[in-house]
Amino acid sequence: MDRHIRFDALHNFRDLGGYRAADGRRVRPGRLYRADSLGKLTRDTPDWSRFLSLNIGTVIDLRYDWEIEARGRIPQDDSFSYHNLSIEHRPYNQAALGPDIAPGPYLAERFMEVAEDGTKEIRQALELVAESAQSGTPLAFHCASGKDRTGELAALILSLLGVDEHTIIEDFSLTELATSSLLADWRKRNDGRSPNWPGFARAPESVMRLFLQLLKERYGSVEGYVTKALGMDAEVLSSKLRENLLEPAPTTWHPLTYRRAQPADATTLVHLRDSLSLWMLARGIDQWKPQEKTESHFLTRMQEGEVWLAHTGNTLSGAYELWWTDEAAWGPRPADAGYIHRLMTTPHTAPPNTGRDLLTHAESRIREAGLPYARLDCLSTNPRLRTYYESAGYTVVGEQPAKDGGLGSPYAVTLLEKPLQ
């Protein structure tokens, strides 16, 4: 499941469904949406029809009154109720900040201000979420970019639902996938100028990590904040949200189906890799970074080798690249192997064992080419991934201390090989 729902005018509209809670259940898809400003929607457009098709019954607008006056609100419609709850009370101009300000500490402090200034509005918002959940109607909440105020409310809701902290941090950072579009909108509104602050429209994981840390230091936990600062019964609220917004995780899945990637799939592949990069960073895995691989990379891999997509029903579940040479890691070699790269699965929604299934499919392609070995590499600093490949039948056969992956900074990799014949 791709969390970003495609709109022409909106760039950060996302479904919070599919995240796993601590008790093994998952957040119901199609019930909670977070977004950038729904004031960008216009009646009688495909965007408006797409929005109405989601059957949203409650919209919470977290912006200031003056933001709504300047940029507009969602068009009025009998299908949903509209609530303006400005949770931020101390406005500040992110675009005008100096380039020396680090986003993590600065925004985490602003988030704490919102948490303690906007208690009345945050309480009302959580009450609306609970009421909507109980009635079974979908709800959407938004601010301007769908990043800070929206991200803070999303973090509180997900925490009360029992979603783990790594996933909450990841969910916040997914705005990074919309940063370029949000920046383009800002430049369009400001005569082509760029914001002074390099952190504008960015959502590094450090922001949410530090905010949650600050919240724990002052209140002990999110539940402590809800109880002490908001004056709500956190246990009752959490129970109500979980009862109505969680569902059992799937126990059966459609079998994976494979198709070879075409040039039109390059955008999807970039999105998948960037999503996985953010998943890793939220969990302290320093391996991939967003925007390292562009569409041109995947187009080249399609031309020089093979790229395959795996689907469960109509839903993308994973992808991988298959190369026929890899001198950067393995040096000059006879044509005796296929080299598996960028084994990717969709975070939170891929069926169990999708990664192993992708490996098996790649190995079958190598056999069909009449080659006796499957080869791959992993960062030497990622022993967990090495163990995963070893459990799939791969054996460590060497190290490459200075692989040049085209990113300008060589890195050490462990080389693994599996005989196929």
Side-chain angles (χ1 to χ4, degrees):
M1 181 180 81
D2 183 357
R3 301 194 172 281
H4 281 83
I5 297 174
R6 299 292 181 254
F7 288 86
D8 294 328
L10 307 178
H11 312 302
N12 204 14
F13 193 107
R14 292 190 256 139
D15 190 341
L16 289 175
Y19 288 136
R20 191 69 65 96
D23 63 6
R25 291 182 293 172
R26 68 172 191 174
V27 181
R28 294 179 184 273
R31 294 289 297 278
L32 283 174
Y33 298 98
R34 53 173 294 171
D36 47 332
S37 174
L38 298 182
K40 294 184 281 188
L41 292 174
T42 305
R43 283 188 178 280
D44 301 321
T45 62
D47 271 2
W48 184 243
S49 298
R50 191 172 296 117
F51 176 81
L52 292 179
S53 73
L54 300 175
N55 297 314
I56 290 169
T58 304
V59 171
I60 302 175
D61 187 338
L62 302 173
R63 296 175 298 162
Y64 290 100
D65 289 344
W66 54 264
E67 289 179 277
I68 296 169
E69 291 174 8
R71 301 259 153 72
R73 51 152 283 182
I74 187 171
Q76 188 171 351
D77 194 86
D78 292 339
S79 64
F80 59 83
S81 62
Y82 171 82
H83 307 266
N84 176 213
L85 300 172
S86 179
I87 64 174
E88 184 180 282
H89 291 194
R90 295 184 238 183
Y92 61 103
N93 185 354
Q94 288 193 21
L97 296 174
D100 58 329
I101 294 178
Y106 180 80
L107 289 178
E109 288 288 351
R110 302 293 77 72
F111 282 24
M112 278 305 301
E113 288 178 356
V114 170
E116 297 185 326
D117 291 349
T119 53
K120 175 184 175 182
E121 293 83 3
I122 293 172
R123 181 171 56 249
Q124 289 175 306
L126 290 175
E127 288 170 347
L128 286 169
V129 172
E131 290 170 11
S132 176
Q134 193 163 13
S135 68
T137 56
L139 175 145
F141 56 98
H142 74 92
C143 54
S145 297
K147 178 171 76 76
D148 298 331
R149 289 164 286 186
T150 297
E152 187 164 340
L153 182 57
L156 297 176
I157 295 168
L158 291 174
S159 183
L160 290 166
L161 285 170
V163 174
D164 69 87
E165 188 170 300
H166 292 311
T167 301
I168 292 170
I169 293 168
E170 174 196 351
D171 179 72
F172 171 77
S173 69
L174 284 176
T175 289
E176 290 278 304
L177 303 180
T179 293
S180 60
S181 297
L182 295 170
L183 277 170
D185 277 1
W186 192 92
R187 293 186 181 108
K188 186 176 180 180
R189 294 195 305 268
N190 291 273
D191 302 319
R193 294 183 293 110
S194 292
N196 187 55
W197 192 39
F200 184 80
R202 300 294 307 276
E205 52 84 23
S206 58
V207 176
M208 184 55 65
R209 191 186 304 280
L210 289 171
F211 166 63
L212 293 175
Q213 181 180 319
L214 289 172
L215 206 66
K216 287 179 186 177
E217 289 173 359
R218 297 190 193 180
Y219 297 99
S221 64
V222 169
E223 290 77 12
Y225 164 75
V226 169
T227 299
K228 298 171 188 175
L230 303 186
M232 305 177 77
D233 188 321
E235 185 176 346
V236 170
L237 176 61
S238 177
S239 177
K240 185 181 294 186
L241 292 176
R242 295 183 192 203
E243 179 183 353
N244 295 297
L245 289 175
L246 296 182
E247 66 178 12
T251 56
T252 59
W253 305 80
H254 293 291
L256 291 178
T257 58
Y258 289 87
R259 70 172 177 84
R260 196 162 171 177
Q262 302 297 317
D265 296 312
T267 301
T268 296
L269 289 161
V270 171
H271 191 87
L272 174 57
R273 188 191 181 278
D274 285 352
S275 297
L276 273 168
S277 302
L278 296 169
W279 182 94
M280 292 178 186
L281 290 171
R283 288 156 181 80
I285 302 171
D286 188 14
Q287 182 163 330
W288 290 357
K289 304 292 191 303
Q291 302 175 356
E292 283 178 335
K293 301 297 180 184
T294 62
E295 291 184 21
S296 63
H297 164 84
F298 290 103
L299 292 171
T300 298
R301 298 328 316 168
M302 292 177 206
Q303 294 168 357
E304 298 182 359
E306 297 179 3
V307 182
W308 285 85
L309 301 172
H311 288 81
T312 307
N314 295 320
T315 303
L316 180 66
S317 292
Y320 71 87
E321 299 173 14
L322 184 57
W323 302 11
W324 303 119
T325 62
D326 186 6
E327 290 197 13
W330 293 81
R333 293 267 179 161
D336 62 352
Y339 299 84
I340 303 168
H341 284 273
R342 257 159 295 286
L343 194 76
M344 303 183 288
T345 62
T346 52
H348 310 289
T349 58
N353 301 314
T354 294
R356 188 65 62 86
D357 204 310
L358 291 167
L359 277 177
T360 300
H361 187 271
E363 291 159 7
S364 73
R365 294 296 301 166
I366 297 169
R367 285 193 187 93
E368 289 177 25
L371 302 174
Y373 295 103
R375 294 183 181 135
L376 46 79
D377 66 75
C378 67
L379 277 180
S380 298
T381 54
N382 193 340
R384 181 177 175 182
L385 186 56
R386 167 179 165 166
T387 300
Y388 175 80
Y389 287 135
E390 288 178 323
S391 71
Y394 287 79
T395 301
V396 174
V397 295
E399 299 281 336
Q400 167 55 269
K403 177 181 176 180
D404 182 359
L407 300 175
S409 180
Y411 49 92
V413 295
T414 301
L415 306 176
L416 298 103
E417 180 180 87
K418 179 178 181 179
L420 300 179
Q421 296 175 349

